[in-house]
Amino acid sequence: MTTPTRTAQSTQPPKEFTAAVVEEFGPNVTVRAEKLPEPGEHQALVKLEASGICHTDLHAAEGDWPVKPEPPFIPGHEGVGRVVKLGPGEQFVNEGDLVGNAWLWSTCGECESCLTGWETRCVKAEYGGYTVDGSFGEYMLVDTRYCARIPEGSDPVEVAPILCAGVTVYKGLKMTETKPGQYVVISGIGGLGHLAVQYADAMGMRVIAVDISDSKLELAKRHGAEFTVNASEVDPVQAVQDFTDGGSHGVLVTAVHPDAFGQAIEMAKRGGTIVFNGLPSGEFPASIFDIVLKGLTIRGSLVGTRQDLAEAIDFYARGKVKPDVTECSIHDVNDVFKQLHDGSIDGRKVIRYD
Ligand code: NAD
Ligand code: ZN
Ligand code: ZN
């Protein structure tokens, strides 16, 4: 007797699918029909069930960064769905598996970064929804060596934000080297930051949350922040220095305004570590004297490795972190981009596919 598989009951993939496409740089996507891609070696075709909408997707659509994607492209790198077709060659997932695409879509596996546990720094990396079409569509391709493995029973909408926001802040927090019982400031309590508060709390850190919106700070309190600061009302550096009596051990910046980056350096205590996750375009001034005198470490951190991703998903699976999600449809992406720009989303907006 054979056990029926999930795929046995699914119908053949169509020739075309609906996707939200960036046709030219700007704050808008166009929802249109796209030709279904064929999975190549080590690749799988995935039918999507959900995709988070990250602020990076807006940066991508607007062409904010020095290294730009090439329109037309399909954004999205928090996609969750089931494998419906495998390409040729060795494969690392099966048809019917629940998988996700990630920002780190694939890497070369051979360079110094890849060989030393820093695949996130691979110069030949492909990025989901940036250099490779992403999850703002009913179907996508994944590289089965790099895709996220999602535990059965996960809610696809709820788990989606772990694939970028979750892993990014989890890795970023590790990079702050904050120990249990020490303070960490989370600056920016958006899609990334509201998860950073939860990971930091689960990792035993004492959390201080900084944002410019009271509703986000309320969310941070609900998730375990000990102290919150509205940077549009008080001097956030002074507030953190006073509360911690001399500065925070770690500072993680997920904010989308350059002001938060200079402030972060001033919030750290002597010997502290500041990690930048946020990626607004622009620059900020920093005091050379303070950095030297206080012996500060300042690091940039990009998403996480496959191992970081597996660990970040495991925190979710064990109920230690729970993204605050609001469902939307693929036709709402332009509205969501506007809300991201205005900073008016609490938690994450996630597309649900039928
Ligand atoms: P989001 O829009 O959901 O959240 C941004 C938050 O920053 C909002 O809550 C906003 O109120 C807050 N903010 C704005 N100005 C601030 C200020 N001056 N001080 C404190 N907070 C301020 O965005 P998101 O999806 O959480 O992404 C945040 C940033 O992280 C984006 O730039 C995104 O591209 C970047 N990102 C980086 C990585 C990485 O690997 N490094 C991964 C994902 C996202
Ligand atoms: Zn992202
Ligand atoms: Zn490499």
Side-chain angles (χ1 to χ4, degrees):
M1 197 180 98
T2 53
T3 316
T5 62
R6 272 178 300 273
T7 46
Q9 41 193 287
S10 62
T11 48
Q12 277 295 314
K15 293 215 162 31
E16 290 189 333
F17 68 102
T18 303
V21 181
V22 174
E23 294 184 318
E24 56 185 37
F25 289 128
N28 288 309
V29 292
T30 305
V31 177
R32 69 180 200 195
E34 286 285 301
K35 200 169 157 287
L36 198 73
E38 194 57 37
E41 210 171 340
H42 307 304
Q43 293 178 1
L45 180 68
V46 173
K47 184 173 193 306
L48 279 137
E49 297 184 4
S51 174
I53 303 178
C54 179
H55 206 115
T56 290
D57 297 312
L58 176 56
H59 292 310
E62 298 208 289
D64 277 347
W65 299 334
V67 180
K68 298 182 195 308
E70 282 175 30
F73 66 94
I74 304 172
H77 53 274
E78 288 183 349
V80 176
R82 289 203 185 271
V83 174
V84 291
K85 189 175 180 185
L86 292 167
E90 195 182 359
Q91 292 292 1
F92 300 87
V93 298
N94 296 310
E95 277 191 36
D97 282 1
L98 197 58
V99 300
N101 72 340
W103 176 252
L104 198 66
W105 197 86
S106 71
T107 70
C108 80
E110 290 169 357
C111 69
E112 185 180 334
S113 297
C114 285
L115 292 176
T116 53
W118 286 105
E119 60 193 24
T120 49
R121 297 177 186 160
C122 176
V123 285
K124 291 184 187 157
E126 300 284 355
Y127 301 121
Y130 206 81
T131 64
V132 178
D133 279 337
S135 51
F136 288 5
E138 295 166 318
Y139 289 86
M140 67 177 177
L141 293 178
V142 295
D143 185 313
T144 64
R145 298 166 299 182
Y146 287 84
C147 65
R149 275 90 163 142
I150 316 282
E152 276 305 327
S154 305
D155 174 342
V157 170
E158 192 178 77
V159 73
I162 302 291
L163 302 186
C164 175
V167 64
T168 299
V169 298
Y170 171 62
K171 176 63 165 228
L173 284 164
K174 287 203 275 187
M175 300 277 287
T176 68
E177 296 183 25
T178 310
K179 295 187 175 62
Q182 294 183 333
Y183 286 116
V184 69
V185 174
I186 313 292
S187 173
I189 309 295
L192 266 64
H194 91 289
L195 285 171
V197 172
Q198 299 180 53
Y199 277 104
D201 188 44
M203 292 157 90
M205 303 171 191
R206 300 181 64 178
V207 180
I208 299 169
V210 180
D211 202 287
I212 51 170
S213 140
D214 283 334
S215 68
K216 292 177 194 234
L217 296 172
E218 279 306 316
L219 187 62
K221 269 192 202 147
R222 287 207 294 283
H223 286 308
E226 254 177 67
F227 182 58
T228 59
V229 182
N230 188 326
S232 67
E233 290 170 359
V234 298
D235 174 0
V237 172
Q238 198 57 50
V240 169
Q241 287 289 347
D242 289 348
F243 183 76
T244 55
D245 201 19
S248 180
H249 295 90
V251 185
L252 182 73
V253 185
T254 75
V256 286
H257 196 287
D259 283 355
F261 292 71
Q263 290 165 356
I265 294 172
E266 295 179 60
M267 289 172 182
K269 74 182 297 172
R270 291 182 177 226
T273 302
I274 303 104
V275 173
F276 295 157
N277 275 160
L279 272 165
S281 54
E283 277 136 37
F284 66 92
S287 160
I288 297 166
F289 183 80
D290 277 356
I291 295 168
V292 174
L293 195 82
K294 292 187 181 173
L296 300 177
T297 302
I298 303 169
R299 294 175 166 156
S301 183
L302 185 69
V303 290
T305 62
R306 285 169 285 181
Q307 178 61 26
D308 295 318
L309 181 56
E311 292 171 19
I313 291 172
D314 192 52
F315 271 69
Y316 166 78
R318 288 183 291 118
K320 302 291 180 194
V321 300
K322 186 174 159 63
D324 283 79
V325 291
T326 313
E327 275 182 40
C328 64
S329 112
I330 196 174
H331 299 282
D332 298 327
V333 172
N334 289 339
D335 289 342
V336 175
F337 276 175
K338 187 164 183 319
Q339 291 160 3
L340 278 172
H341 177 266
D342 297 343
S344 61
I345 298 169
D346 289 345
R348 202 43 131 206
K349 286 274 172 107
V350 180
I351 301 166
R352 183 188 280 280
Y353 296 98
D354 298 329

